Amino acid sequence: MSAPDAEPVAKTPPPDAEELKRGVEGESLAGAVPHGVVAPELSADPATVPPTTKREIWAWYAYYIGANGLSLFNFGPTAFQNLLSQAAPEDTGLLDFAGRARDVNSIVLLANGISFAIQAVLFLVIGAYADFGTGRRWVLVFWSLVAYGIGFGWLGVHEPEQWQTGAGLYMVGLIAYQLTLTYWTAAFPSLARNTPHMLEASLKLGDGELTQLEYDRQDEKERSRLSNVSFYIQSVGEIGILAIIVGIMFGVHVNDSVDANNWGLSVLIAFATAVWIVMSIPWFVLEKSRPGLKIPAGMNIVTVGAWQLWEALTQIWHLKQSLIYLVGYFLLGDSLNTTVTVIATLQNEVVSYDTLTLTYLLIVGIFAQALGIGAFWQIQKRLDLSAKTMFNWVMVSIVLLDGWGMIGNWTDNFGFHNVWEVWLYQAFYGLFVCPWYSYSQILISSVTPRGHEFLFFSLFSIIGKTSSFIGPLVSSAIIDATPGGTNDSAPFYFLFALSIVSAGFLWFFLDLEKSAREQEAFLIKEKARMAAREEGLNDQ
């Protein structure tokens, strides 16, 4: 998985411990920063870090074709909500869940919140240790195996009376999927920075042939390339998988009866899981083992986790731009994740949970997603735009999406109440909103100090999941508070306001160039603390 970078550092001598101590104690760090890439202390010689190969990059791409979300993020939620709708009595439409009677959409939102809360705890624990040593790759392997088990488990759950078991599969499936997606994503900053192109650029920086700003722009473009190309290839691959799924649905005759439709959903989840297994094998085999951070003197792999968490808590305040993005990511991620969930529940009702229609909608959405991400990347590359500029326009699209849903409170003619809107939504979402999933990750990598990818991606996932369970809980409460507890469009008032505030905050206050300089100072101070700790132990 993610690894610290192997770029050659400056040819000028690095600052010694005394210089670094002075920087920590408040003196200017300008004279202590070497001319070149500022890298963290690794657990092995940086010269031994293997360069990234094309085969490794394509294996990384392939994993995401399988981890496309169809099994546990698309059809899994649909299967769960489908069982809930059939199990709910026709007279009340309510089921007992978590201590009270709730409607179907409220149960789905609450289950989301519970799942996201558990994810936050797991990210905190895993992220504290994963940047050290060489065992990071096994984190992804383990949670992939859990996800595979959940995917095949749906073959035994397709009756309405099994809705409570379906709730368990749904929540654990979301947990496993989000963990695999996060720790797969955490690999790309290191993959990008260890490509031959970036290794050459780091040498030129050390020799003075490139300015720091020029190097930073090349670094951002290489990270943008890997992230955007991976999402584009995944989208194209997913279209092919969906085409096969359509054939499977005709094969199991999903339109013959309700029971056949239920079984069809379980079969589709299992098939998508099987594809995931096949596409993940190349990455598990070809991923190169790269050294993690050096464990500080006097610690071991067990105690270093608590130290890492304390370091993050006390030192992250020096990364002001990282904090700005963390806050904005929390707010906007809350809005978008909840918006997608609310629209999905409305969409499923509009099309009556018809599996074939939902699959056709997915094909349209994924095709639009491929076009959208491909177009965003080509515009960024050809016009030499920054990742922040592209991200700004994604934020505008999110605001428009929530405005669309909010109108549904005032009329049934618009606001995700009609079949034609569901088709239009899939196209709009794919073209203009889906690039969020690439560019938000690029920006996380842009505010993450080198070598700390697992910790920071875990931290951002915690923030994302915290927001993602707060948003659904608030939305569920809003629905419950409406007359009859059935106005599923009411949450858009909250979501529209939240999107505007968070988008404006990030647009005007986030500065990635300032963030890069803050990260260099952070790494220099970290080296100073480690040097001082080692010196203190040696003096004892």
Side-chain angles (χ1 to χ4, degrees):
M1 280 308 304
S2 177
D5 311 306
E7 298 98 329
V9 294
K11 290 188 175 182
T12 54
D16 60 25
E18 289 303 318
E19 290 177 300
L20 292 171
K21 286 180 189 175
R22 288 196 297 271
V24 174
E25 290 165 1
E27 297 181 23
S28 173
L29 286 166
V33 179
H35 183 68
V37 175
V38 178
E41 291 285 348
L42 303 185
S43 59
D45 185 350
T48 65
V49 179
T52 303
T53 64
K54 289 184 178 180
R55 292 180 64 193
E56 189 178 14
I57 290 175
W58 277 97
W60 183 72
Y61 291 158
Y63 182 92
Y64 193 35
I65 295 175
N68 50 53
L70 286 176
S71 58
L72 304 181
F73 196 71
N74 292 111
F75 289 120
T78 300
F80 174 48
Q81 190 177 351
N82 181 45
L83 295 181
L84 286 174
S85 66
Q86 293 175 32
E90 291 186 6
D91 54 345
T92 65
L94 303 177
L95 290 167
D96 288 330
F97 184 76
R100 59 166 291 183
R102 304 175 188 274
D103 83 339
V104 170
N105 293 328
S106 179
I107 292 173
V108 172
L109 290 169
L110 186 56
N112 271 1
I114 295 171
S115 171
F116 292 147
I118 296 171
Q119 288 174 47
V121 175
L122 290 171
F123 278 124
L124 188 66
V125 174
I126 295 171
Y129 292 93
D131 281 316
F132 297 91
T134 57
R136 291 176 299 282
R137 61 188 304 168
W138 300 110
V139 175
L140 180 62
V141 172
F142 173 80
W143 286 105
S144 295
L145 292 174
V146 173
Y148 304 155
I150 295 297
F152 288 121
W154 275 104
L155 288 173
V157 180
H158 48 84
E159 300 290 342
E161 58 269 19
Q162 296 175 303
W163 70 268
Q164 290 175 316
T165 303
L169 291 177
Y170 171 67
M171 289 187 284
V172 178
L174 285 181
I175 291 168
Y177 177 69
Q178 292 297 340
L179 285 167
T180 58
L181 191 61
T182 295
Y183 294 130
W184 168 83
T185 306
F188 89 91
S190 181
L191 287 176
R193 288 165 178 162
N194 285 298
T195 58
H197 168 68
M198 289 310 302
L199 292 175
E200 181 181 357
S202 64
L203 286 173
K204 290 182 178 179
L205 175 64
D207 290 337
E209 297 179 32
L210 284 179
T211 66
Q212 186 67 57
L213 181 59
E214 290 171 334
Y215 175 84
D216 289 344
R217 291 303 297 272
Q218 289 192 30
D219 178 50
E220 181 185 80
K221 280 192 175 181
E222 191 69 2
R223 285 182 285 110
S224 296
R225 180 179 72 87
L226 262 65
S227 182
N228 285 315
V229 171
S230 70
F231 276 80
Y232 175 80
I233 290 175
Q234 182 268 338
S235 301
V236 173
E238 191 171 354
I239 292 172
I241 295 170
L242 285 169
I244 297 173
I245 282 176
V246 171
I248 292 174
M249 283 189 291
F250 280 113
V252 297
H253 308 289
V254 294
N255 289 328
D256 286 0
S257 66
V258 172
D259 288 342
N261 186 65
N262 293 353
W263 172 243
L265 280 170
S266 294
V267 170
L268 297 186
I269 295 169
F271 169 74
T273 301
V275 173
W276 188 356
I277 293 174
V278 172
M279 300 306 294
S280 65
I281 292 174
W283 177 239
F284 294 156
V285 173
L286 296 175
E287 180 191 7
K288 295 183 178 180
S289 180
R290 296 183 172 91
L293 294 176
K294 179 181 178 181
I295 296 177
M299 295 186 185
N300 55 47
I301 193 61
V302 176
T303 59
V304 75
W307 176 83
Q308 176 83 319
L309 289 177
W310 178 252
E311 283 285 289
L313 181 64
T314 57
Q315 300 302 320
I316 195 173
W317 310 107
H318 298 291
L319 299 170
K320 294 182 176 59
Q321 292 299 317
S322 299
L323 286 173
I324 287 174
Y325 185 55
L326 196 66
V327 172
Y329 183 80
F330 173 89
L331 296 173
L332 195 57
D334 186 7
S335 175
L336 179 58
N337 289 332
T338 309
T339 296
V340 170
T341 301
V342 172
I343 294 176
T345 58
L346 294 171
Q347 172 182 276
N348 289 338
E349 290 178 346
V350 168
V351 302
S352 302
Y353 308 99
D354 181 78
T355 306
L356 194 59
T357 301
L358 288 170
T359 303
Y360 288 146
L361 285 167
L362 267 177
I363 292 175
V364 171
I366 300 303
F367 181 75
Q369 174 181 297
L371 291 179
I373 291 175
F376 266 67
W377 168 233
Q378 289 301 317
I379 291 171
Q380 179 188 0
K381 182 172 63 173
R382 295 180 184 278
L383 299 183
D384 195 28
L385 300 176
S386 69
K388 171 72 185 315
T389 298
M390 307 308 297
F391 184 75
N392 286 345
W393 292 109
V394 174
M395 294 193 294
V396 171
S397 302
I398 294 172
V399 172
L400 293 176
L401 186 63
D402 283 317
W404 180 354
M406 187 171 63
I407 294 173
N409 286 285
W410 312 322
T411 177
D412 289 334
N413 296 324
F414 194 71
F416 307 115
H417 298 307
N418 307 284
V419 173
W420 66 267
E421 283 187 282
V422 170
W423 292 95
L424 180 60
Y425 159 69
Q426 289 293 340
F428 179 86
Y429 180 74
L431 286 170
F432 303 109
V433 178
C434 277
W436 155 273
Y437 298 104
S438 178
Y439 281 97
S440 65
Q441 302 304 308
I442 295 169
L443 263 63
I444 291 175
S445 70
S446 294
V447 300
T448 297
R450 295 165 182 263
H452 295 73
E453 285 83 7
F454 261 70
L455 175 62
F456 271 71
F457 273 85
S458 293
L459 179 61
F460 273 91
S461 290
I462 291 170
I463 294 301
K465 302 319 161 193
T466 300
S467 71
S468 295
F469 87 78
I470 290 176
L473 289 176
V474 172
S475 297
S476 178
I478 291 173
I479 292 174
D480 292 341
T482 61
T486 57
N487 182 6
D488 296 326
S489 294
F492 284 111
Y493 289 116
F494 161 69
L495 297 171
F496 180 71
L498 185 60
S499 292
I500 289 181
V501 170
S502 54
F505 176 74
L506 287 172
W507 189 303
F508 292 109
F509 294 104
L510 180 62
D511 187 328
L512 296 184
E513 290 184 19
K514 286 184 180 179
S515 178
R517 305 291 78 78
E518 289 174 354
Q519 292 167 50
E520 290 174 351
F522 174 87
L523 291 173
I524 290 171
K525 291 180 179 181
E526 181 181 67
K527 288 182 179 181
R529 291 191 299 275
M530 292 180 68
R533 178 183 178 85
E534 185 170 356
E535 183 179 315
L537 290 174
N538 290 336
D539 291 341
Q540 291 179 1

